[in-house]
């Protein structure tokens, strides 16, 4: 079923974060600086809970599929995506917490649940829950820092009204960001694996922001992954955004007739 394929493909794309590289480069003539950080930290929503309706479009260059659902985010606690068919039946769920990644395929009655340290490519690259959180919340991150960063950890170059902000190139995975100096918001996040041209390329773009709790929050985002001549694109469109401090109920690990499978099995199926 196409909705099931969407769910597994999205999980695969997100897991491919571990080995990203980008063909885009920041402008020459960089340096360090902290003045850009003040406007950045003041612009976007960085706390509490955000709930929204979700429309997800997934395409691989040849065919595409669209599915509805919901998106629930609680800062430092959970990212929860529910994919729904015909507006009534959940066909898949993806849930990330600081401790684990879980994906439940309701139609195929199978699921994945794994700690980040169990996924070698994530562990070695320093990709964890806080990396995914930064992407959904329009935030900066330093791979391997557990969501913590300071302005002096980045190299900064400027061109016109944009700042090109990047992490230390000495890490396995380098993160680079394009920040709009007029709004203080990130427009693009790029990931690249140094000295590993065989690994996938990833770009996360922000095409629109909504006002949530008197702050800006991205309500239209595009994930693009290129690997071995193949391209996967996922577009997240959020609507009816609501902010607060409510709890989000975590998903119980399925039992009964559900079969537990490994992430590598899904990756091998989808990207070979």
């Amino acid at each position: 079923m196409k909705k099931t394929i969407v769910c597994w493909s999205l999980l695969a794309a997100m897991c491919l974060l571990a080995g990203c590289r980008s063909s885009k480069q920041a402008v020459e003539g960089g340096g360090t600086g902290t003045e850009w950080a003040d406007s950045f930290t003041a612009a976007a929503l960085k706390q509490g809970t955000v709930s929204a309706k979700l429309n997800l479009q997934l395409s691989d260059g040849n065919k595409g599929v669209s599915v509805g659902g919901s998106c629930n985010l609680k800062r430092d606690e959970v990212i929860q995506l529910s994919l729904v068919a015909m507006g009534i039946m959940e066909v898949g769920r993806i849930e990330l917490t600081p401790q684990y990644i879980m994906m439940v395929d309701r139609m195929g009655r199978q699921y994945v649940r794994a700690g980040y340290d169990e996924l070698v490519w994530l562990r070695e690259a320093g990709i964890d829950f806080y990396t995914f959180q930064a992407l959904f919340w329009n935030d900066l991150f330093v791979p391997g820092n557990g969501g913590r960063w300071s302005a002096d950890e980045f190299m900064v170059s400027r061109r016109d009204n944009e700042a090109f902000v990047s992490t230390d190139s000495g890490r396995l995975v380098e993160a680079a960001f394009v920040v709009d100096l007029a709004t203080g918001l990130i427009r693009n996040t790029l990931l690249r694996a140094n000295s590993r041209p065989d690994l996938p390329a990833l770009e996360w773009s922000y095409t629109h922001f909504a006002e949530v709790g008197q702050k800006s929050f991205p309500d239209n985002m595009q994930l693009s992954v290129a690997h071995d001549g193949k391209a996967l694109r996922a577009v997240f469109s959020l609507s009816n955004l609501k902010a607060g401090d409510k709890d989000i109920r975590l998903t119980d690990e399925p039992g009964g007739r559900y079969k537990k499978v490994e992430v590598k099995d899904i990756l091998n199926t989808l990207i070979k």
Side-chain angles (χ1 to χ4, degrees):
M1 184 176 180
K2 285 187 176 180
K3 303 299 189 297
T4 298
I5 294 172
V6 167
C7 212
W8 290 116
S9 297
L10 181 58
L11 179 66
M14 295 174 74
C15 287
L16 284 173
L17 283 168
C20 305
R21 60 181 178 86
S22 172
S23 60
K24 296 188 177 181
Q25 301 290 333
V27 296
E28 297 294 332
T32 59
T34 59
E35 65 277 4
W36 57 272
D38 292 335
S39 61
F40 169 76
T41 54
L45 184 67
K46 304 295 182 189
Q47 61 183 2
T49 300
V50 175
S51 299
K53 291 184 178 180
L54 168 69
N55 179 265
L56 172 65
Q57 296 176 309
L58 188 76
S59 62
D60 63 2
N62 297 315
K63 57 191 175 191
V65 63
S66 178
V67 62
S70 63
C71 175
N72 294 308
L73 311 171
K74 186 159 188 178
R75 187 76 177 184
D76 297 331
E77 291 190 20
V78 65
I79 298 166
Q80 188 181 84
L81 305 178
S82 173
L83 305 182
V84 176
M86 298 177 290
I88 56 174
M89 180 176 64
E90 184 179 72
V91 295
R93 177 171 291 208
I94 294 176
E95 185 169 279
L96 297 91
T97 75
Q99 290 76 39
Y100 62 82
I101 295 174
M102 182 161 68
M103 184 276 183
V104 182
D105 170 13
R106 302 291 188 196
M107 304 304 297
R109 294 192 179 277
Q110 54 186 343
Y111 74 99
V112 169
R113 175 170 169 146
Y116 299 91
D117 59 347
E118 297 177 52
L119 307 176
V120 176
W121 63 94
L122 293 183
R123 183 178 69 244
E124 292 180 350
I127 302 298
D128 56 15
F129 167 80
Y130 300 99
T131 303
F132 296 108
Q133 174 171 272
L135 292 170
F136 278 96
W137 287 75
N138 193 244
D139 207 352
L140 298 173
F141 62 91
V142 176
N145 272 22
R148 300 177 299 276
W149 61 267
S150 60
D152 58 8
E153 292 181 89
F154 297 98
M155 295 294 295
V156 182
S157 58
R158 302 176 68 163
R159 182 178 63 197
D160 298 329
N161 201 38
E162 293 180 325
F164 295 80
V165 183
S166 61
T167 57
D168 185 351
S169 59
R171 296 174 180 269
L172 174 61
V173 171
E174 178 183 353
F177 311 86
V178 180
V179 179
D180 186 326
L181 293 175
T183 62
L185 300 171
I186 298 173
R187 293 299 179 185
N188 295 85
T189 296
L190 313 170
L191 291 175
R192 54 186 162 225
N194 297 306
S195 305
R196 291 294 305 275
D198 58 308
L199 294 176
L202 178 141
E203 179 176 2
W204 190 287
S205 301
Y206 304 91
T207 55
H208 192 267
F209 293 82
E211 184 175 320
V212 180
Q214 299 183 327
K215 296 282 188 177
S216 293
F217 194 87
D219 61 353
N220 195 282
M221 300 169 280
Q222 178 175 298
L223 164 65
S224 300
V225 179
H227 181 258
D228 196 25
K230 299 178 182 179
L232 176 68
R233 184 180 71 170
V235 178
F236 303 85
S237 298
L238 306 181
S239 60
N240 297 340
L241 280 79
K242 298 179 181 179
D245 292 307
K246 72 174 186 179
D247 290 330
I248 297 174
R249 185 179 182 275
L250 298 182
T251 306
D252 294 330
E253 186 168 354
R257 291 183 293 169
Y258 279 83
K259 177 184 178 182
K260 186 174 183 179
V261 296
E262 302 296 327
V263 174
K264 63 180 178 62
D265 298 329
I266 307 306
L267 289 173
N268 290 338
T269 299
L270 292 169
I271 66 176
K272 65 181 179 180

